Structure formats: structure tokens, C-alpha cells
Amino acid sequence: MDLRTKDVEALGRRIAAHQDAALERLARPRAADRLQAIYRKEAALSLRASAAPSSRRVGLALAAACVAAAFALVFVFALSRPGDPLTYRVEGSPGAVGRWVAADASRVGLDFSDGSRVDLAPGTRARVTEVGPLGAGVLLERGSLRVRVVHRGDTRWVVAGGPFEVHVIGTEFDVTWDTEAEELAVSMIAGRVRVLGPCVEPSGRAVAAPESIRLTCAAPRAAAPPAADPRASPSARAPALLPSASAAAPASPASPPARAAAPLAEAHSAGWRAHLAAGKLGDALADVELVGVDTVLGRAGGAELVDLGSAARLARKPDLAARFYEAARQRFAGSDAAAAAAYHLGRMAFDGRGAWAEAERWFAVYLAERPRGALAPEALGRSLECARNLRLHARARELAARYLAAYPNGAHAGLAAALAGGAD
């Protein structure tokens, strides 16, 4: 039968495809065992060839070479396949992707299977958002990390803090995310990183040892008026506190304490604004509770309400935080503050209660109102996690495609790629 060259080539391709499929189904032994098998096979064939008559020696040698080449190809094929994702341990115990890790009174260390290590300073809260064969993604909610990534040619690590992402190949550095000041600080010990963010040039900011930088996307707050001194004389107080002419009637015996209480309340009212301007969220919240939460809910500006919500959230008062965030949305609908409040409401549902459906709804509100906002990468990434946790596969693939199109190198890019490919 006369076979044409192209028919032979087509047959060869089909045979190769079947061989590749068969190899995929085989359980692969360890690399060292595969090498030993190649060496043993070659040695056995060589011994048989040396004992055979000279007429067969050349043929057996060629056969041995072919077998060795075939095993070598299988070995190279196996090594070229992607490796298993990294694993990590938290102070010796197995770690889980997505689980928050908090360092309270002492430092906590995360040890990764590639030799890399992340240390959480006291007061820090972070979580590993994804792991892959080439690296991991770490989300820093607050506090400071000491990161040491083992250098390899194709290593890919991302440390995210607020709207910023620190892309790492192999290096050692300290990174701090200040939630109150909304500021990222990076201090290089060795190597080089690149910081990406909405208020950084598109190519990112390269930082090399021993350089240190501080970055923020927050607009500077206006200075608050000085707090009134309750001990000051009436003439030194604000005009609004002076009695009007129509109120100049003789005071009742109970009026002096009442007059003393008014400037004290006003002092606390001015005080919480001063504390917010200085970034002292805890002190601001304490003053607000003295003035009266209901009073402040009706008087504070949008950004102030969001800051007070964050103060209450960090003080572990989620119900009070929700009141501030909801007030920002009701009183300042359509503003940046209202959008930020939606994000933080989603964040509380996500972190505090694992209420994935509620969290995803709030993140979707933020993305609808501020699709290119500073918090958009994190809102979209967390939405992706919510869809995965809820096993909404079609929704997860849709969000994964959006994330990869907008943030191909983002902190959730590995998870997005896996979900876009149909992984659960």
C-alpha cells in the first residue's frame, strides 16, 4: 500500500497524542526513581548487548539508545509540568488559604514550603489569599509584616495592603499598612520590589534596598478647629455659647450646672473632630460616645461618618460601625463616602460573620458606584471569593474574567485564573 508522506505524519501525530494521554493517566514516581530506572534499563541492555553475537550488538545498542531517549523524554515532560501549590504552616500548624491570622501579644510566623517566611508583628492581622506553585498572595489588613521570599527565576508573590500591591520576586522587606492614616510603608532590607496602586504611576514604583517609602491615596483632611476649653471664661468661648438677650432672665438655682455642661459637651464635640484629623480614631470614638451617637450621626460629614465607622469596627463594635456606615449612605448618597461605606459594610459581613451573600452584595454596590475606585481591586477580589465560597460557578467565572482583564497581576489573579478555567 502506497502511503504518502503527509499520511505518515498524520499517523505519527495521532500516535504521539495517544502516548501523551497515556502518560497523563500514569502515576508518576519521584524524579530520583525515574532517573534510577533509566540508568538500570541502560545498564541491563548494555550487558545483554556485550554478551550477544557481533551481528546483534549494533541493533541492541541502537535499541538501548532509543529506550533511554524515550525515558528521558518522559522525564523531561514530567519535570516541565507545573508543580504543586505551596503550602504553609502557622507556628507549626497547617495553614489554610483564606483564614485570618492575628498576632496579639507576640510575633506569629508563617513558614512556606518553598522556604519563604512571613512574620506578623504584634497587633497585625493578615491572611493568605491564594497559593500557587510559583508563590502566594498575602493580604495585610492592618499592622506590619516582615517578608522574606526565596528567590527563584519565576517566583511570583504579591503582598496587598489597602489599595496597594507589593510584587515580589525574591527579597526581604518590612511592609506596614496603617488603616487609620490609609498609608502603606515599605522598608527594603534586601532585593527589590515593585509597588502598584491607583495613585502610583501605571508602571508601578520600584523600591530597592536600602530604600524606604510611604504611600497614601487618601486626600489630606482639613484641620479641625481647636477644642474649646471648658475652664475658659464666658468671653473666651465661642459666640454661639453666649446667652442671647432674650435669655437674660435671672437664672434658676439649677442653671449654673446646666451652663457648665453645655461648654463641656461642645468641647467633646470639637474634640472628636480634632482627634479624627489627627488620625486618633479611638479617642474620636470615645468623644462621640460622650457627646451622643445620635447627635453625631445627624451632624458629621460623610468622610467623618466613614472614619467613625472604621473606629467602631476596629474597636470591635460592629453594630455601632454599621450605624455610622449606613448614615453615610443615607445622608450622602452618591458620594465617595457612601461608596466607601458600602465597601466597609461588605468587609464586616465578609470578615466578621462569613456572610458571603451579604458581603458580595455590598461589594457589588461599591463596584457599581466606583468601578475605578481605590478599593475596586479588593472589592472585586473579595466578590470573587464570595462567589467561590457560595459555589456560584457561573458568577465566579464572570467575576474571574473581569478581575483578570482589569488586574492581571493583582493579589487575586491566581484565584481568578483557576476559577476562570472552571476550577471549584
Side-chain angles (χ1 to χ4, degrees), residues 269-313:
S269 180
W272 69 258
R273 283 195 162 97
H275 288 315
L276 277 187
K280 299 178 180 179
L281 297 187
D283 292 338
L285 184 63
D287 275 346
V288 164
E289 290 177 323
L290 287 172
V291 172
V293 172
D294 291 334
T295 299
V296 174
L297 286 172
R299 294 182 180 178
E304 291 171 337
L305 287 169
V306 172
D307 285 345
L308 290 171
S310 298
R313 177 174 54 81

Side-chain angles (χ1 to χ4, degrees), residues 209-394:
E211 186 180 3
S212 297
I213 63 167
R214 292 181 178 273
L215 297 170
T216 181
C217 293
R221 294 190 178 107
D229 187 348
R231 297 169 297 180
S233 64
S235 60
R237 295 175 190 151
L241 298 179
L242 295 177
S244 64
S246 62
S252 65
S255 58
R259 284 198 303 269
L264 183 61
E266 189 64 22
H268 285 300
S269 180
W272 69 258
R273 283 195 162 97
H275 288 315
L276 277 187
K280 299 178 180 179
L281 297 187
D283 292 338
L285 184 63
D287 275 346
V288 164
E289 290 177 323
L290 287 172
V291 172
V293 172
D294 291 334
T295 299
V296 174
L297 286 172
R299 294 182 180 178
E304 291 171 337
L305 287 169
V306 172
D307 285 345
L308 290 171
S310 298
R313 177 174 54 81
L314 294 172
R316 299 184 180 180
K317 298 180 178 181
D319 293 340
L320 180 57
R323 291 183 66 190
F324 286 118
Y325 291 141
E326 288 164 0
R329 289 201 57 76
Q330 292 168 5
R331 293 183 52 218
F332 301 95
S335 67
D336 287 343
Y343 169 82
H344 289 300
L345 286 166
R347 180 177 178 175
M348 287 200 305
F350 187 103
D351 295 338
R353 306 192 304 278
W356 314 121
E358 178 187 347
E360 204 275 333
R361 284 195 298 271
W362 280 120
F363 293 141
V365 169
Y366 177 86
L367 292 167
E369 295 180 1
R370 293 295 183 276
R372 293 185 176 85
L375 299 171
E378 180 65 10
L380 187 54
R382 289 193 182 221
S383 294
L384 189 60
E385 292 188 67
C386 291
R388 177 199 61 186
N389 295 343
L390 292 167
R391 296 190 176 279
L392 301 175
H393 303 304

Side-chain angles (χ1 to χ4, degrees), residues 31-42:
D33 294 336
R34 291 196 296 273
L35 279 175
Q36 289 296 327
I38 293 172
Y39 297 150
R40 286 195 299 269
K41 193 73 173 181
E42 287 183 280

Side-chain angles (χ1 to χ4, degrees), residues 77-345:
F77 169 75
L79 291 182
S80 65
R81 296 178 63 182
D84 294 330
L86 300 182
T87 59
Y88 75 98
R89 302 181 72 82
V90 183
E91 296 296 306
S93 300
V97 173
R99 182 180 299 166
W100 286 106
V101 180
D104 296 324
S106 59
R107 183 177 293 267
V108 173
L110 310 183
D111 290 294
F112 289 81
S113 54
D114 69 342
S116 299
R117 181 177 172 89
V118 176
D119 287 301
L120 285 69
T124 298
R125 179 175 160 94
R127 64 190 175 107
V128 177
T129 56
E130 62 179 289
V131 291
L134 304 179
V138 179
L139 175 63
L140 172 60
E141 184 189 48
R142 66 172 182 266
S144 300
L145 302 176
R146 166 67 60 86
V147 182
R148 183 180 66 83
V149 173
V150 174
H151 177 73
R152 289 183 175 84
D154 53 359
T155 300
R156 287 202 293 268
W157 280 70
V158 178
V159 179
F164 300 100
E165 295 175 352
V166 182
H167 290 252
V168 189
I169 295 178
T171 186
E172 186 174 0
F173 62 97
D174 292 325
V175 57
T176 299
W177 173 243
D178 187 332
T179 57
E180 296 183 0
E182 297 183 29
E183 180 182 75
L184 184 84
V186 178
S187 179
M188 300 303 303
I189 299 171
R192 178 185 179 92
V193 300
R194 183 169 296 278
V195 182
L196 302 180
C199 52
V200 182
E201 53 267 27
S203 61
R205 171 73 183 274
V207 192
E211 186 180 3
S212 297
I213 63 167
R214 292 181 178 273
L215 297 170
T216 181
C217 293
R221 294 190 178 107
D229 187 348
R231 297 169 297 180
S233 64
S235 60
R237 295 175 190 151
L241 298 179
L242 295 177
S244 64
S246 62
S252 65
S255 58
R259 284 198 303 269
L264 183 61
E266 189 64 22
H268 285 300
S269 180
W272 69 258
R273 283 195 162 97
H275 288 315
L276 277 187
K280 299 178 180 179
L281 297 187
D283 292 338
L285 184 63
D287 275 346
V288 164
E289 290 177 323
L290 287 172
V291 172
V293 172
D294 291 334
T295 299
V296 174
L297 286 172
R299 294 182 180 178
E304 291 171 337
L305 287 169
V306 172
D307 285 345
L308 290 171
S310 298
R313 177 174 54 81
L314 294 172
R316 299 184 180 180
K317 298 180 178 181
D319 293 340
L320 180 57
R323 291 183 66 190
F324 286 118
Y325 291 141
E326 288 164 0
R329 289 201 57 76
Q330 292 168 5
R331 293 183 52 218
F332 301 95
S335 67
D336 287 343
Y343 169 82
H344 289 300
L345 286 166

